[in-house]
Amino acid sequence: MSKSDRSKLHIAMFPWVAYGHFIPFLHLSNKLAQKGHKISFLLPKGVQPRLEYLNQFPNLIQFFPLLLPQVDGLPPGAETASVVPMNQQKYLTFSVDQTRDQVESIFKVLKPDMVFYDFWFWIPDLARQLGISPIFYSVVCSMGMWTGLNAKKLTKETTVEEAIELPPGYPSSTVRLKAEEAPALLFFAEDFGSGLSFQERMQKSKIESDALAFRTYREVEGPFLDYVAQGYGKPVLLSGPCLPESKTQQLDDKWVSWLSQFEPGSVVFCTFGSQSELQKDEFQELVLGFELCGLPFLVALKPPKGCSTVEEALPEGFKDRVKGRGLVYGDWVPQDRVPQELLLNHPNIGCFVKPLWVWINVGVSA
């Protein structure tokens, strides 16, 4: 074996079961495979067909499907957060927890050098038993990790003031929750599968890792990364955004045709991803805001709660008033078909609106 061959690693990937996690983990896999490393990617069986087109190195990146068992409370056949309401996602979490034996069997055969994971608190213990190094990888920023690092344990009795209080030494007095955002944070003090809260799962996942990795740059988050490294006493690794090359992919003709009607830099694009589910009044307030902005807009949202389509949720007369200027699309644009950066790269897109979902940052770091 040559010196070069000995320097190549075998890396397992096991992200949280949402496309907003699968895709960044796969982007990182492509970058690592580009350097010659071998990747074994664990994911629910039904997800694999939707991700294969993003695999740029099929000779080095191999998918290993997991069979998620049915558990009480989980919709039949559910494998990702995109099809499970927020208040039922603890059942999805518990279902994936039940795949530990499958994961162990795969690891025993593959013998990877390390595993990148984010939500599965039991991975560090399992990995170390098999001589595998566990690396916690956050696909979002490090700025929100104050909710886990040196923070009080969230409980149902936690007050709003306690929930938004910044811990000692936090490098910013302005990066913080507002009082009205605290209820979203406190939601994750509740059980989130296997008898642990969301905060507890994430804390255990990070504390028991060998290193913490983030999808960011030091130039963007330097002080926060130093704070995290010191607080957890672990090395911090940075991947950057790991955006893929898109030379061989093209934006779908329907989006090219629609966008071509407008001036360069004039279109507002808004997408909330696959996990958000607004109340009907929130949905209507949002789209009315885009109507009032006076600019052409493309809004991609799931139907709000209680509605089967976005069309039935639109305010009265809205569709006629914005005809030829605004489009509200009831599917996940465009991650199910093309990488999002292709749409954002279109010259007529001038503004991108996306929420920073506070709950994702509960003890973790859209």
Side-chain angles (χ1 to χ4, degrees), residues 8-9 30-39 57 60:
K8 302 306 180 186
L9 297 172
N30 282 324
K31 293 298 183 181
L32 292 169
Q34 189 176 28
K35 297 180 180 296
H37 302 300
K38 181 179 179 180
I39 309 296
F57 299 89
L60 288 173

Side-chain angles (χ1 to χ4, degrees), residues 138-248:
S138 173
V139 300
V140 291
C141 65
S142 65
M143 296 179 185
M145 290 190 73
W146 62 268
T147 52
L149 180 61
N150 300 326
K152 297 176 182 178
K153 180 180 177 180
L154 296 174
T155 68
K156 294 180 180 179
E157 289 72 40
T158 301
T159 65
V160 170
E161 292 74 18
E162 290 172 333
I164 65 175
E165 182 182 3
L166 293 172
Y170 189 71
S172 173
S173 61
T174 57
V175 179
R176 62 186 307 160
L177 293 177
K178 298 177 181 178
E180 58 268 27
E181 295 170 325
L185 186 69
L186 295 176
F187 174 81
F188 290 93
E190 301 178 7
D191 176 75
F192 214 81
S194 300
L196 297 174
S197 69
F198 187 95
Q199 184 189 37
E200 291 169 331
R201 293 182 69 101
M202 300 314 302
Q203 275 293 78
K204 192 172 178 64
S205 295
K206 296 192 292 288
I207 289 172
E208 298 187 6
S209 68
D210 283 351
L212 304 173
F214 294 92
R215 185 171 171 255
T216 188
Y217 290 116
R218 175 161 290 280
E219 291 82 352
V220 175
E221 298 185 59
F224 300 95
L225 294 166
D226 292 338
Y227 176 74
V228 168
Q230 182 177 4
Y232 281 101
K234 297 182 184 295
V236 167
L237 311 174
L238 306 179
S239 69
C242 291
L243 297 178
E245 299 291 335
S246 55
K247 296 177 181 177
T248 61

Side-chain angles (χ1 to χ4, degrees), residues 46-158:
V47 174
Q48 181 175 341
R50 299 191 68 183
L51 292 181
E52 286 179 331
Y53 79 102
L54 288 173
N55 183 355
Q56 298 178 347
F57 299 89
N59 60 318
L60 288 173
I61 301 175
Q62 184 177 0
F63 293 112
F64 287 85
L66 301 173
L67 298 176
L68 271 57
Q70 183 63 40
V71 299
D72 291 341
L74 183 66
E79 292 185 308
T80 70
S82 61
V83 296
V84 179
M86 187 64 68
N87 61 2
Q88 295 179 20
Q89 289 193 8
K90 63 181 179 181
Y91 305 118
L92 175 63
T93 302
F94 183 61
S95 177
V96 180
D97 286 344
Q98 303 311 298
T99 68
R100 176 170 176 154
D101 288 345
Q102 295 179 54
V103 174
E104 181 175 4
S105 296
I106 291 171
F107 283 176
K108 282 182 175 179
V109 173
L110 297 177
K111 297 180 173 61
D113 298 293
M114 61 184 68
V115 54
F116 282 72
Y117 67 100
D118 53 5
F119 197 65
W120 313 117
F121 68 93
W122 42 270
I123 281 293
D125 179 62
L126 173 61
R128 287 199 182 89
Q129 291 179 29
L130 301 174
I132 303 166
S133 180
I135 309 296
F136 178 89
Y137 182 52
S138 173
V139 300
V140 291
C141 65
S142 65
M143 296 179 185
M145 290 190 73
W146 62 268
T147 52
L149 180 61
N150 300 326
K152 297 176 182 178
K153 180 180 177 180
L154 296 174
T155 68
K156 294 180 180 179
E157 289 72 40
T158 301

Side-chain angles (χ1 to χ4, degrees), residues 20-34:
H21 292 243
F22 293 137
I23 292 174
F25 267 73
L26 190 49
H27 287 170
L28 174 60
S29 298
N30 282 324
K31 293 298 183 181
L32 292 169
Q34 189 176 28

Side-chain angles (χ1 to χ4, degrees), residues 316-361:
E316 184 176 356
F318 175 85
K319 200 167 183 179
D320 290 334
R321 294 195 302 272
V322 302
K323 187 175 182 179
R325 175 171 70 90
L327 178 62
V328 180
Y329 187 73
D331 202 349
W332 191 17
V333 177
Q335 289 181 233
D336 57 344
R337 292 295 303 277
V338 298
Q340 188 168 268
E341 60 269 19
L342 287 183
L343 188 56
L344 293 175
N345 194 46
H346 193 284
N348 292 359
I349 296 287
C351 178
F352 181 38
V353 179
K354 187 175 179 67
L356 175 62
W357 293 115
V358 172
W359 66 266
I360 292 181
N361 287 328

